[in-house]
DNA sequence: TGCAAATAGGTGTATATACTCCTATTATAA
DNA sequence: TTATAATAGGAGTATATACACCTATTTGCA
């Protein structure tokens, strides 16, 4: 290897300040920060119902779909199948959902219980308040573009 | 209570389809979806180094700060203090960071080890590739506005 | 028809997250 | 100076996340 190439390589691997500083713009880090912050806001709002934000959204999805398999629900939630399995556990334990085998014995069908629907009805106005607050503070226009961009991020990764 | 008010209350608490459907626009749910997706992309890119995206960003922050307390680092990372304590554990176990008591005996000072700097130097170009790919696919302009919006979300919550 | 491939799902393990409650140390004020 | 408040941090507990690997069932084809 020529001296020139060695120098290039050394430069390439040197960790200088400005180069490291750029890492603070990490898309992943900033998404995670925003998610941590916003999750606390929604969790706080939903606390009277005993639901976490993630649980609320899963229940909503199940209500809309009425009856859905684990794999299908995982696809919709852009969630690993095994993650969903674990996330359904506390919902089942609290009696909010019911999980039974489908006609295809491999599948597990998830549905809301009556109790689940009741809790969801109590949670809905609380969620609406939190959502309205976020949209108001962010501004409708900015919120719209954020929603669109988040959707773009998801499809960007799926097409990888 | 008058019949009129009872009706209003019934309407307020009724869970009709369009109202439930709006919940799919949940800011929290969509942020979490995007975060799950993008985290997998960065984790995949960093896999050869054995670092997760979160770990990479923490190491970067520690490198920039050179020496930092747990509470200060948690503030910067917009992370619960107890979460950070747990997140530092695997980094310490892998010998990437060192945690020692400060002059103020209550504080714990976090610094990078030589090994930590080496791993970070290996990870840096991998992160840069992932970051460049995301910016390219999203488009520089869209990425810029996403970054700004995520920052806005964080400060929005902090000001609550 | 019978067997391999595809599909649906769960477990083990490890990290990520944060709330509640706890201890230890430092700062402050009576 | 000493009692108290404030600060820094950790432990217990529970949820959230996903990879690697496993089993059971169904499908499709030779």
């Amino acid at each position: 290897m020529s001296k020139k190439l060695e120098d290039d390589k050394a430069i390439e691997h040197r960790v200088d300040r400005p180069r490291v500083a750029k890492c603070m713009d990490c898309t992943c880090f900033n998404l995670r920060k925003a998610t941590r912050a916003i999750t606390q806001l929604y969790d706080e709002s939903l606390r009277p119902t005993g639901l976490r934000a993630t649980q609320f959204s899963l229940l909503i999805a199940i209500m809309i779909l009425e009856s859905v398999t684990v794999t299908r629900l995982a696809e919709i939630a852009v969630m690993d199948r095994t993650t969903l399995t674990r996330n359904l556990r506390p919902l089942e334990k609290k009696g909010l959902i019911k999980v039974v085998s489908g006609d295809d014995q491999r599948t597990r069908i998830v549905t809301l219980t009556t109790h689940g629907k009741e809790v969801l009805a109590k949670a809905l106005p609380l969620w609406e308040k939190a959502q309205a607050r976020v949209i108001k503070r962010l501004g409708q226009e900015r919120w719209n573009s954020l929603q669109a961009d988040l959707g773009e991020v998801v499809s960007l990764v799926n097409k990888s």
Side-chain angles (χ1 to χ4, degrees), chain A:
Chain A
M1 195 188 276
S2 75
K3 188 73 179 70
K4 180 84 174 61
L5 276 174
E6 280 177 355
D7 283 355
D8 285 348
K9 190 150 190 181
I11 289 167
E12 190 194 349
H13 286 287
R14 197 179 60 198
V15 179
D16 55 295
R17 285 211 149 265
R19 195 175 170 197
V20 171
K22 279 218 180 76
C23 297
M24 296 308 278
D25 290 332
C26 180
T27 323
C28 184
F29 190 48
N30 286 324
L31 265 168
R32 292 185 77 93
K33 277 197 288 190
T35 296
R36 281 193 292 268
I38 212 80
T39 297
Q40 283 181 63
L41 191 149
Y42 281 83
D43 277 356
E44 167 67 25
S45 297
L46 292 172
R47 194 150 300 150
T49 67
L51 291 178
R52 311 283 285 281
T54 301
Q55 302 179 335
F56 173 81
S57 291
L58 283 180
L59 291 179
I60 288 288
I62 296 165
M63 164 155 256
I64 289 172
L65 298 165
E66 293 183 37
S67 173
V68 62
T69 65
V70 171
T71 295
R72 180 85 189 101
L73 184 55
E75 281 167 7
I76 289 163
V78 191
M79 194 178 275
D80 187 273
R81 193 176 39 73
T82 68
T83 299
L84 178 60
T85 295
R86 255 95 181 203
N87 287 354
L88 292 180
R89 220 63 72 82
L91 297 177
E92 204 178 0
K93 198 166 63 180
K94 283 190 268 197
L96 304 174
I97 60 168
K98 204 175 45 181
V99 184
V100 296
S101 289
D103 288 337
D104 181 337
Q105 292 289 300
R106 290 171 303 182
T107 63
R108 305 267 287 159
I109 312 292
V110 185
T111 53
L112 283 189
T113 63
T114 303
H115 184 220
K117 285 173 195 166
E118 286 165 1
V119 170
L120 211 40
K122 282 210 192 82
L124 196 56
L126 300 181
W127 174 85
E128 283 167 342
K129 257 185 217 130
Q131 179 84 344
R133 199 166 68 187
V134 168
I135 295 175
K136 186 177 177 195
R137 294 209 190 157
L138 212 55
Q140 183 73 53
E141 204 171 325
R142 197 158 202 178
W143 181 82
N144 286 344
S145 76
L146 175 60
Q147 288 284 105
D149 291 348
L150 292 177
E152 202 58 38
V153 166
V154 170
S155 57
L156 171 166
V157 173
N158 285 343
K159 280 184 291 191
S160 289

